[in-house]
Amino acid sequence: MKRLSLKIKLTLLYTFFMVLATCAVLAILLSLSNREILAGAQSRLERRVQDSADDVTLEDGGLRVDSDFYSVTQDVYLSLYTEDMYFLYGRVPYGFDVQPEIADGRTRRIAEGNTDWYVYDMSFRLAEDYTVYLRGITSVTDAEASFGVTIRFAVILFPLMALVTAVIGYRFTRRTLLPVKQITRTVQKIRADADLSRRIGLKAPEGRERRNRDEIYGLASTFDDMLEELEEVFQREKQFTSDVSHELRTPISVILAQCSECLEDEGLTARQREQLLLIERKAKDMAGMISQLLFLSRADQGRQPLQKETVNVSELTLMTAEEQQLLADAEGRGVRISCDAGSDITACVDETLFIRLLVNLISNAVSYSRPNGKVTVSLSCADGEIKGTVRDNGIGISEEDLPHIWERFYRADASRQPGGHSGLGLSMVKWIAEAHGGSVEAESRLGEGSTFTFHMPAGEPEEKN
Ligand code: ADP
């Protein structure tokens, strides 16, 4: 199941507690007002009965009742009884068919059909030996009906209020979490482009002092400070690599120069010559590595220029393949390079870098080939894009290693590798392809061989923003 976003979770939580609080408040209010309504109806009934005692008098031995007695005021029906429950005068409400016992001075609640009634009896003496009972009746159900309107109103308003609460809660949460989204987006961009110069750069709302900013603004500015420091560290590291490579270049050149001078000496023993040749070979490997390191550190610092011009890439590919064949022949492992570079394909590329890319791919294919292995180089052009492929039937790369081969100094299995390999070649290949607005990918099966394919726009690539 898809996980709910923090925004939705907070909105649900917020709405849940709002609904809970509203329910509790409504329940208390409704129960209080219901009690209030019933108590009001009861006291109205009692007051009306007590006030009506003045409407009944004895005149010339006969009973005289004021006309007010008969009218239903404040929903109270009045009736008059003798002591032995004989009805004398008055009205009983329609539907009130029972004749409860007299209960002097006490209000009772009596249910009759679908209606509840309050009945209040009061005795009073009209003469020394003449006592009558005054009965007041009022409908509880009618009194409660007005309360029902309030409940209905609340039932309609309640979901509306919950909806409004949810909408406001959602908008509020979204606004609050907007900076988090911005932080995530910036970090994702930093990861995708490996560009540490990016900043989250959240602006505090106008007029807010730094100390008044909320936690998320604090987090964003801490992130920015951390990125600042990281960028500085990386910058220092790049500078260090570049400085060290520069410093090493001179002693290596001296070693190489001295080696070749010593090797010219005819008086060297075979053992001495062998040792000198080994020193020279290792120094050359080191010189190669230093030049690759310098290239990459210049590229990192944006100081590796691209001198693009329209060149015949078919010719360049063919020439590079032939040169690599000569080097392979010198190794004497019988590796054959076949090349199909199309005819006169032209592209706008940096010639030196394009050759460097090919040299790296072809020399790898040769190095990681088996004795008498076969390397196939091909180049084609379609839809304004050149596509180059270098295929070998060599040792191949395992599935676990394949995603990492583009990383600097990564070597799949150093123990199986020939000398002179630093693990920097493919990083350079990747940089060159991307700097030309293209890409490079690898397919491989361990023990069966590898295929490296690069694509580049044949014309001037569009400027990257
Ligand atoms: P290296 O200088 O070690 O060849 P690269 O960056 O050129 O460095 O290559 C990185 C790793 O990728 C190599 O160490 C090797 O394990 C693997 N690799 C590159 N090309 C091939 C290939 N054609 N066949 C098998 N493995 C290869």
Side-chain angles (χ1 to χ4, degrees):
M1 203 180 94
K2 198 173 171 254
R3 281 188 70 120
L4 292 178
S5 73
L6 189 60
K7 230 169 0 191
I8 302 285
K9 275 188 203 162
L10 284 177
T11 308
L12 287 178
L13 194 76
Y14 182 76
T15 313
F16 173 73
F17 280 111
M18 272 305 275
V19 166
L20 209 70
T22 315
C23 278
V25 169
L26 269 182
I28 293 170
L29 277 181
L30 290 179
S31 118
L32 283 180
S33 62
N34 189 27
R35 242 184 272 170
E36 194 60 29
I37 285 170
L38 294 182
Q42 213 170 319
S43 74
R44 256 195 327 275
L45 169 71
E46 288 168 10
R47 221 174 315 118
R48 172 92 172 101
V49 171
Q50 285 153 7
D51 292 350
S52 301
D54 298 341
D55 294 344
V56 183
T57 46
L58 210 59
E59 241 178 63
D60 305 329
L63 203 62
R64 189 179 172 282
V65 183
D66 201 282
S67 61
D68 281 357
F69 192 91
Y70 202 72
S71 65
V72 180
T73 310
Q74 293 179 319
D75 294 329
V76 176
Y77 292 79
L78 294 170
S79 46
L80 203 60
Y81 295 87
T82 61
E83 272 181 295
D84 46 6
M85 282 305 291
Y86 181 73
F87 178 79
L88 290 173
Y89 186 74
R91 292 172 72 174
V92 283
Y94 179 74
F96 186 78
D97 298 331
V98 285
Q99 190 63 282
E101 287 286 302
I102 292 287
D104 192 10
R106 198 157 56 82
T107 305
R108 286 158 296 157
R109 187 174 176 142
I110 292 169
E112 170 69 12
N114 290 332
T115 318
D116 276 14
W117 306 92
Y118 276 144
V119 179
Y120 178 66
D121 296 328
M122 188 185 87
S123 68
F124 71 100
R125 269 171 197 223
L126 284 174
E128 188 66 25
D129 55 349
Y130 192 10
T131 301
V132 287
Y133 283 96
L134 237 169
R135 168 166 285 176
I137 305 169
T138 191
S139 162
V140 180
T141 310
D142 282 354
E144 279 181 336
S146 62
F147 178 67
V149 174
T150 318
I151 291 191
R152 234 169 290 145
F153 199 61
V155 166
I156 295 171
L157 265 185
F158 185 69
L160 213 74
M161 217 194 75
L163 191 75
V164 170
T165 308
V167 171
I168 293 176
Y170 180 77
R171 290 176 69 101
F172 176 75
T173 318
R174 202 180 59 168
R175 241 182 96 102
T176 312
L177 292 181
L178 216 59
V180 176
K181 209 170 174 184
Q182 204 168 327
I183 294 173
T184 314
R185 221 179 295 142
T186 310
V187 173
Q188 278 169 348
K189 274 189 189 152
I190 290 174
R191 286 193 61 195
D193 307 344
D195 177 9
L196 276 173
S197 65
R198 281 184 195 276
R199 296 288 175 272
I200 295 156
L202 280 189
K203 298 265 179 298
E206 276 300 302
R208 281 216 216 160
E209 288 298 311
R210 195 182 169 89
R211 65 192 148 79
N212 284 342
R213 294 175 191 173
D214 64 22
E215 292 84 346
I216 294 180
Y217 281 92
L219 177 72
S221 72
T222 311
F223 251 116
D224 277 349
D225 292 347
M226 189 187 73
L227 287 172
E228 189 87 45
E229 281 171 25
L230 273 180
E231 195 188 4
E232 253 175 55
V233 170
F234 273 88
Q235 210 58 44
R236 274 205 300 271
E237 191 217 89
K238 283 175 198 165
Q239 194 57 45
F240 174 77
T241 314
S242 164
D243 292 347
V244 168
S245 311
H246 265 294
E247 293 304 316
L248 286 176
R249 250 185 356 178
T250 319
I252 297 283
S253 310
V254 174
I255 294 171
L256 282 172
Q258 291 301 312
C259 275
S260 62
E261 207 181 310
C262 290
L263 282 167
E264 279 168 21
D265 187 349
E266 299 290 327
L268 289 174
T269 62
R271 172 115 181 96
Q272 283 168 334
R273 186 168 294 278
E274 200 181 298
Q275 283 169 339
L276 272 172
L277 280 171
L278 180 68
I279 294 171
E280 189 185 49
R281 207 167 55 244
K282 290 294 168 191
K284 274 185 183 160
D285 286 350
M286 220 148 131
M289 195 196 286
I290 286 167
S291 115
Q292 285 179 330
L293 268 177
L294 265 176
F295 175 93
L296 286 170
S297 75
R298 269 202 305 271
D300 285 344
Q301 291 169 331
R303 291 193 295 112
Q304 179 59 55
L306 281 193
Q307 320 254 313
K308 283 200 282 190
E309 52 187 328
T310 304
V311 289
N312 188 328
V313 281
S314 294
E315 238 172 53
L316 284 184
T317 310
L318 210 60
M319 197 182 75
T320 314
E322 278 167 8
E323 271 173 23
Q324 291 300 310
Q325 179 66 69
L326 291 178
L327 292 172
D329 289 346
E331 277 184 28
R333 290 168 59 236
V335 178
R336 299 298 326 147
I337 303 174
S338 65
C339 179
D340 171 15
S343 55
D344 294 334
I345 300 172
T346 55
C348 186
V349 294
D350 182 311
E351 189 176 326
T352 318
L353 296 184
F354 186 78
I355 293 175
R356 211 161 186 168
L357 176 144
L358 285 173
V359 167
N360 273 302
L361 292 180
I362 302 173
S363 65
N364 273 351
V366 173
S367 297
Y368 300 111
S369 266
R370 299 170 201 287
N372 302 318
K374 197 169 168 244
V375 174
T376 315
V377 181
S378 67
L379 189 82
S380 58
C381 184
D383 302 328
E385 193 180 73
I386 53 169
K387 176 183 169 190
T389 312
V390 178
R391 179 175 293 128
D392 65 70
N393 57 356
I395 61 173
I397 306 164
S398 72
E399 229 173 277
E400 301 85 69
D401 288 323
L402 199 57
H404 303 289
I405 56 173
W406 312 101
E407 292 165 15
R408 286 178 199 183
F409 296 109
Y410 190 86
R411 297 164 72 193
D413 182 357
S415 62
R416 293 192 308 154
Q417 296 185 351
H421 286 265
S422 56
L424 290 171
L426 289 181
S427 310
M428 272 169 56
V429 167
K430 190 168 189 304
W431 188 89
I432 294 169
E434 286 173 0
H436 280 82
S439 62
V440 57
E441 66 253 16
E443 283 169 55
S444 189
R445 286 177 86 99
L446 197 62
E448 290 181 21
S450 316
T451 305
F452 286 81
T453 310
F454 65 87
H455 299 264
M456 276 185 199
E460 192 80 31
E462 277 173 35
E463 281 288 311
K464 261 208 236 172
N465 290 325

